[in-house]
Amino acid sequence: MADLKQNRRNFLKGTALAGGALLAGRATGAAAAEGDPAILDIQPWAQQLGEGVDARPYGYPSPHEKHVVRRSVEWLTADPVSSVNFTPLHELDGIITPNGLCFERHHAGIAEVEPSKFRLMINGLVDKPLVFTMEDLKRYPRVNKMFFLECAANSGMEWRGSQLNGCQYTHGMIHNVMYTGVPLKYLLEEAGLKTNAKWIMPEGADASAMTRSIPVFKALDDCIVAFMMNGEALRPEQGYPARLVVPGWEGNMWVKWLRRIEVGDEPWHHREETSKYTDLMENGKARRFTWEMDAKSVITNPSPQAPIPHGKGHTILSGVAWSGRGTITHVDVTIDGGKNWHAARIDGPSLDKSMHRFYYEFDWDGKPLLLQSRAVDSTGYIQPTKDALRAVRGENSIYHNNGIQTWYVNANGEAENVEVS
Ligand code: MTE
Ligand code: CO
């Protein structure tokens, strides 16, 4: 991996980079072309009746969009039941991840929970242990909130140098969804927390029985027991019939197929917070309980799976940014490897701990580009370079890599994952 990075660095030294101020805002519509069959011919879809309203009781995308799918990296894991697939970020726009494209991370496959057998127990340091059915949950006041979920391992393969060619693989362990559910606070308050209750331990009903320790202050602040995503029932992949939503915190804590919440006075130090999801530092000590996901961004278009298709001229650069600590206040973009930075335009809702969409429109001169984006969040935190991260954390980490991503774009508009320093 280190060699690859070195090679790419040398390669880049000899590359002439596009520089200088670039003009934006040119219209791209073509003049009306005489005899264009796409205009003049009566197309097949206008020569016959289409399918009726009874053909698609549950809708699905156009066959022309069949390449827009979750993908996995074969060599990454030994078996698909304890594995991950990735959201095709380069095919999406706006900020909502469609339900069928939300990346999946399972430790023991997808549990197919029978909703009538769903039980959520709250026990431990409470006045009154309680058990909730789905019907019970649906009789509590509910909220609708949009949040990103990012796996702590997102970009983990990139710690020691650029590796995977595509933002789907480097950054696709994230989705951004509108959840409907019951604030966990209501359920904990009903059970009655004892004065020494300081931690909760949600547990999954799948064969991995995933458990994590979460401090009570977070549980009472903004955690949700969610049963809907983007307006419909959770998908089995995402924890049907109910999952825990832990806004802004690492994905591993968002326990799916929720079955129990134990209340205690100290953390449980289970597998997922000791041997996994801790960050091994340079001195050999592991940093634990890194819950909040730091501000991060990535350019989704152009990117290795989404080259510039049109040659030089007016070009739309687009990407996403997010922070586990609040909103994104601005995103800066460079097309020359960091010599000049430009303010990107954030468009669409700017919501707390939710994905933000940004654009930068520029006039491409057709010369190679080095693209980077840098997010700043509402606490003033600035997304660091990968080298700055390594200077503090060393090279042993996998998790919590929020370093700035670079794409090299050649004169044909094809992009590649590289690093510059
Ligand atoms: N909950 C259970 N019960 N089992 C699991 O394997 N995986 C965790 C978390 N919750 C997991 C789980 C991890 S590591 C992540 S990143 C997220 O769920 C992934 O959520 P998603 O599959 O909706 O993307
Ligand atoms: Co994860």
Side-chain angles (χ1 to χ4, degrees):
M1 268 187 267
D3 285 344
L4 182 66
K5 179 180 166 191
Q6 202 53 47
N7 289 342
R8 284 189 171 151
R9 275 189 190 158
N10 291 340
F11 166 57
L12 288 169
K13 271 185 202 139
T15 307
L17 299 179
L22 294 154
L23 301 171
R26 212 181 68 197
T28 56
E34 237 175 85
D36 181 352
I39 297 170
L40 295 179
D41 291 0
I42 298 174
Q43 302 296 334
W45 49 87
Q47 292 178 23
Q48 60 187 43
L49 297 174
E51 283 182 336
V53 293
D54 51 352
R56 304 173 194 215
Y58 193 96
Y60 44 83
S62 159
H64 303 287
E65 301 296 318
K66 62 174 185 290
H67 56 286
V68 182
V69 289
R70 302 185 277 222
R71 288 190 182 84
S72 43
V73 175
E74 254 172 52
W75 51 262
L76 208 54
T77 51
D79 194 299
V81 300
S82 179
S83 191
V84 60
N85 61 23
F86 301 88
T87 304
L89 292 176
H90 61 293
E91 297 285 359
L92 304 179
D93 214 322
I95 61 167
I96 296 166
T97 315
N99 288 343
L101 296 175
C102 288
F103 88 95
E104 303 166 59
R105 171 74 179 105
H106 317 306
H107 290 69
I110 303 167
E112 298 283 356
V113 175
E114 157 78 54
S116 67
K117 298 211 175 109
F118 169 89
R119 299 287 184 277
L120 172 58
M121 176 185 286
I122 299 186
N123 68 329
L125 296 178
V126 290
D127 297 330
K128 190 170 37 141
L130 294 175
V131 176
F132 304 87
T133 63
M134 281 313 289
E135 290 71 41
D136 295 335
L137 283 185
K138 290 182 177 171
R139 294 178 70 188
Y140 284 83
R142 60 185 88 132
V143 293
N144 293 291
K145 298 262 191 178
M146 189 116 192
F147 294 116
F148 76 83
L149 180 166
E150 183 183 17
C151 180
N154 201 20
S155 315
M157 299 311 294
E158 307 291 309
W159 252 107
R160 294 174 191 184
S162 54
Q163 180 158 221
L164 296 169
N165 245 333
C167 67
Q168 178 165 18
Y169 307 114
T170 56
H171 289 75
M173 287 170 86
I174 186 164
H175 48 65
N176 200 55
V177 161
M178 165 78 81
Y179 295 97
T180 305
V182 179
L184 178 57
K185 179 179 189 262
Y186 298 163
L187 308 180
L188 292 175
E189 277 173 354
E190 181 154 352
L193 292 178
K194 301 242 189 238
T195 48
N196 56 341
K198 292 283 178 289
W199 293 80
I200 65 160
M201 184 192 67
E203 180 185 72
D206 56 327
S208 82
M210 171 150 296
T211 45
R212 281 296 301 256
S213 305
I214 301 178
V216 154
F217 75 81
K218 181 66 173 175
L220 295 177
D221 179 20
D222 57 1
C223 289
I224 299 170
V225 177
F227 42 84
M228 311 283 278
M229 60 192 287
N230 292 331
E232 62 178 2
L234 290 183
R235 292 285 169 92
E237 303 93 296
Q238 264 67 46
Y240 179 88
R243 91 175 301 164
L244 191 64
V245 167
V246 191
W249 289 23
E250 61 184 9
N252 187 257
M253 306 176 93
W254 298 48
V255 171
K256 302 193 275 191
W257 312 291
L258 194 60
R259 71 183 292 266
R260 191 170 71 94
I261 295 174
E262 188 173 327
V263 181
D265 55 357
E266 52 185 9
W268 283 261
H269 304 293
H270 279 185
R271 173 186 183 270
E272 306 294 314
E273 50 208 23
T274 52
S275 115
K276 301 288 180 288
Y277 301 98
T278 50
D279 302 311
L280 186 59
M281 310 297 273
E282 197 81 316
N283 63 5
K285 291 197 174 179
R287 184 179 77 169
R288 59 172 191 171
F289 295 157
T290 304
W291 298 313
E292 277 168 319
M293 298 306 288
D294 283 325
K296 187 164 166 181
S297 67
V298 66
I299 293 169
T300 55
N301 305 81
S303 62
Q305 298 158 288
I308 301 176
H310 50 61
K312 65 181 183 179
H314 187 66
T315 301
I316 306 271
L317 180 155
S318 176
V320 283
W322 60 92
S323 167
R325 293 199 165 81
T327 57
I328 294 293
T329 53
H330 39 280
V331 178
D332 296 314
V333 163
T334 175
I335 61 173
D336 56 15
K339 287 189 200 126
N340 300 285
W341 290 90
H342 316 273
R345 178 172 63 84
I346 295 176
D347 194 79
S350 170
L351 301 169
D352 193 39
K353 305 177 181 75
S354 172
M355 219 182 240
H356 292 58
R357 171 64 58 176
F358 66 86
Y359 300 98
Y360 175 65
E361 289 100 12
F362 68 104
D363 209 7
W364 183 34
D365 59 8
K367 297 203 181 114
L369 304 165
L370 278 174
L371 306 179
Q372 297 178 329
S373 63
R374 182 178 62 195
V376 182
D377 75 11
S378 47
T379 70
Y381 174 91
I382 303 170
Q383 184 185 359
T385 62
K386 291 185 184 177
D387 282 343
L389 265 187
R390 290 185 194 114
V392 178
R393 304 250 306 269
E395 298 226 344
N396 297 329
S397 285
I398 299 170
Y399 306 109
H400 306 109
N401 177 4
N402 68 322
I404 290 173
Q405 174 66 44
T406 312
W407 305 126
Y408 167 73
V409 180
N410 70 17
N412 297 325
E414 295 151 351
E416 191 190 346
N417 182 5
V418 297
E419 276 196 38
V420 282
S421 49

